Amino acid sequence: MKRTMQGIRRTYGVAQRRVRALVKDDLLELLVMVAKRKPLEAARDKAILLLGFSGAFRRSELVALRMEDITQHAHGLELPIRRSKTDQEGEGRTVFVPLAKSEERCPVKALQRWLDLAGIGAGPLFRPVNRHDKVANELALTPQSVALIVKSAVASSKGIEAAKTVSGHS
């Protein structure tokens, strides 16, 4: 039965669930709500939102970033993407994330603040934070965790119904 259903879906297709794209004004609202969280969690979530938005990263690309990948420049930083959904051969690409005029909205400064607060000097950039607002372990967040962070921020800002209309890809 399972194989039959897979064949039917392949033949006739399945409608994609449409999600709403987040725009700059949405991002600014999310940042206000994220700032109300515990300090370490707030710093991490702000860095994820700003870096993800400014670099147009996929969830999987964000969680794959490592400290060793960062190349600092006077006007921002470079981050290599080794592999992504749109780069199946693994050729990779480099994303430049510029410094923003506003220090409060700067993805580079937000990332640096998170790394300083969390004491991360090597390994994955984004890690789980426990309920005591401490870095839980040395492992990277999962792509699903990034989706939940986005949904949680939207739910806090705009409500549960609005959170159903966005995803980690928003």
Side-chain angles (χ1 to χ4, degrees):
M1 180 68 167
K2 183 178 177 183
R3 287 201 158 303
T4 303
M5 293 307 291
Q6 287 173 336
I8 291 170
R9 280 194 293 275
R10 253 193 320 274
T11 302
Y12 293 103
V14 177
Q16 291 287 325
R17 182 175 79 93
R18 303 295 289 166
V19 293
R20 192 174 72 77
L22 294 176
V23 294
K24 182 182 170 191
D25 290 340
D26 295 325
L27 177 65
L28 297 178
E29 283 183 46
L30 299 185
L31 293 175
V32 169
M33 297 312 292
V34 163
K36 296 177 181 178
R37 296 179 179 172
K38 294 177 183 173
L40 194 61
E41 182 182 11
R44 181 201 60 196
D45 295 354
K46 179 178 181 178
I48 286 172
L49 291 169
L50 285 171
L51 195 64
F53 191 85
S54 65
F57 290 103
R58 294 177 180 280
R59 300 178 301 177
S60 59
E61 294 168 350
L62 271 175
V63 299
L65 293 172
R66 300 180 58 80
M67 277 298 293
E68 300 80 31
D69 296 337
I70 298 174
T71 304
Q72 297 276 350
H73 294 284
H75 301 289
L77 50 88
E78 279 183 352
L79 298 166
I81 305 302
R82 289 183 183 78
R83 179 177 222 83
S84 77
K85 182 178 170 182
T86 58
D87 177 25
Q88 294 299 308
E89 282 79 45
E91 292 175 18
R93 65 184 168 94
T94 301
V95 175
F96 182 76
V97 178
L99 287 166
K101 291 177 186 162
S102 164
E103 190 157 325
E104 193 58 31
R105 299 177 192 165
C106 180
V108 177
K109 301 272 189 212
L111 177 62
Q112 192 58 55
R113 177 162 167 67
W114 153 247
L115 296 173
D116 290 346
L117 282 175
I120 297 172
L125 291 185
F126 298 112
R127 301 176 185 180
V129 173
N130 65 22
R131 63 189 170 108
H132 305 292
D133 206 37
K134 304 276 187 232
V135 174
N137 57 50
E138 300 291 313
L139 302 175
L141 284 177
T142 64
Q144 179 63 23
S145 298
V146 173
L148 294 174
I149 288 167
V150 171
K151 282 189 168 290
S152 170
V154 171
S156 298
S157 173
K158 299 180 179 283
I160 303 285
E161 287 305 311
K164 293 178 184 175
T165 66
V166 298
S167 76
H169 291 294
S170 294

